Amino acid sequence: MPKMKSVSGAAKRFKRNAAGGYKRKQSHLRHILTKKSSKRKRQLGEKLDVHANDVQLVRRMLPYS
């Protein structure tokens, strides 16, 4: 069988963590930052885990991760 291809957009957005889940970055930190508070911007910079309902979708898009 030939190798399966990863979805390149998903490969850029999700990384596998040690627990077997996936981590992701948050949105709303690219522009129009002057009206956002420092606390809000700082919290948006943190990585989050992909929600349990979406893990199966991410696994399908990244078969070898």
Side-chain angles (χ1 to χ4, degrees):
M1 289 269 317
K3 288 185 181 178
M4 295 171 61
K5 286 194 173 185
S6 295
V7 176
S8 62
K12 296 170 189 175
R13 287 172 173 82
F14 303 109
K15 300 290 180 223
R16 191 84 182 253
N17 64 18
Y22 292 90
K23 59 186 177 180
R24 66 171 176 88
K25 192 164 179 355
Q26 297 187 68
S27 60
H28 304 292
L29 198 58
R30 291 293 185 183
H31 61 97
I32 313 176
L33 298 174
T34 53
K35 64 174 76 170
K36 295 172 185 159
S37 68
S38 297
K39 176 182 177 180
R40 183 174 166 193
K41 289 185 282 191
R42 185 170 60 248
Q43 290 176 341
L44 285 171
E46 297 174 2
K47 301 285 192 292
L48 293 179
D49 289 335
V50 173
H51 194 273
N53 295 344
D54 298 322
V55 169
Q56 189 62 38
L57 295 170
V58 176
R59 270 200 195 114
R60 192 178 303 150
M61 290 188 282
L62 302 173
Y64 299 109
S65 67

